[in-house]
Structures are given as C-alpha cells and as structure tokens.
Amino acid sequence: MDNTKPLIELELDDDGRIRRTGNVWTASIHIITVVVGAGVLSLAWVMAQLGWLAGIASIITFSAVSIFTYNLVADCYRYPDPVTGKRNYTYMQAVKAYLGGTMHVFCGLVQYTKLAGITVGYTITSSTSLVYVK
C-alpha cells in the first residue's frame, strides 16, 4: 500500500471542482478591468457629444442598468437554491437551468451573434482610429 501524499494536495469544492481562492479584492479588480475597458474609451466622446448634464445623466443611467443586470446574473449563479443549488459556471448553463432547452438554443444564437457583431464593430473602430493616428 502506497502511503505517499501527492506533492500538491488540491482542496475541492462541494461540486468536485478545485476550490476557488478569490476574495473581495480580486473580485473588485476584475470588475474594474471590465468597466475600464470600454467605458473609459468612450467617456470623453460621450461628454463631448451630450454635454455635462445629459452626459452625466446617461452615464449614471447606464451604470444603474449595469448594476441591475450584474445582480441578476449573480442571482442565477446557483439553481434552484442560492446556497446549496447546482452552480452555473456559464451564462448558457444558467439559461438552460432557468428557461429550458428551446430558450437555451435561442439565447445561444443571440449571444454569439452579438459577440460576432461586437467583434466586427471593434475591428472597424480600431482600424479607422489607426487611420486617423497615421
């Protein structure tokens, strides 16, 4: 009988995956990197186009919508119980758990179409910006 321990002993979560080691600090950094990515690039343009009052009002409105949708996604992390339910690691797993198979396929099509559209939009925007830089 072999009594040797492995060099790295991994702690497992209740669902059999490696235990996550994140904390409030790492979560905050991830949120900041997501928000800073696209938000800071468009902030100056929004303020220039809308002015101080409408620009600040639109930024506050969109940040409120973002907070609301982030809370909805966070509430869908475990199903059916928020403490002991099965974890949904992806958006599509949460859609399948809550809405079923047909909506899972439909939402998948919408999600990947949107992703492709955003990718094309960023590519066109970056190429036109590089032309102006040149």
Side-chain angles (χ1 to χ4, degrees):
M1 187 166 167
D2 188 15
N3 289 334
T4 60
K5 283 188 165 182
L7 293 176
I8 300 174
E9 195 169 313
L10 300 174
E11 263 190 77
L12 299 180
D13 247 343
D14 58 353
D15 59 351
R17 292 192 181 199
I18 298 172
R19 184 175 296 279
R20 293 171 299 279
T21 57
N23 53 30
V24 173
W25 177 250
T26 57
S28 300
I29 295 300
H30 284 292
I31 291 169
I32 288 169
T33 57
V34 167
V35 171
V36 167
V40 169
L41 295 175
S42 62
L43 186 61
W45 183 81
V46 167
M47 295 301 287
Q49 298 299 314
L50 297 176
W52 282 100
L53 290 177
I56 291 172
S58 67
I59 289 171
I60 290 171
T61 301
F62 287 120
S63 53
V65 169
S66 294
I67 289 169
F68 177 70
T69 56
Y70 292 154
N71 283 326
L72 286 177
V73 170
D75 288 342
C76 294
Y77 180 59
R78 284 187 179 256
Y79 178 80
D81 183 63
V83 176
T84 60
K86 179 187 172 295
R87 287 189 172 100
N88 297 308
Y89 288 99
T90 65
Y91 176 75
M92 293 309 298
Q93 285 177 341
V95 169
K96 190 171 188 178
Y98 279 92
L99 301 177
T102 306
M103 287 303 290
H104 174 255
V105 172
F106 176 72
C107 288
L109 289 173
V110 170
Q111 182 182 11
Y112 289 119
T113 302
K114 179 183 174 190
L115 182 62
I118 289 172
T119 303
V120 169
Y122 275 127
T123 304
I124 292 170
T125 303
S126 62
S127 64
T128 56
S129 296
L130 286 176
V131 167
Y132 286 121
V133 168
K134 182 182 174 189

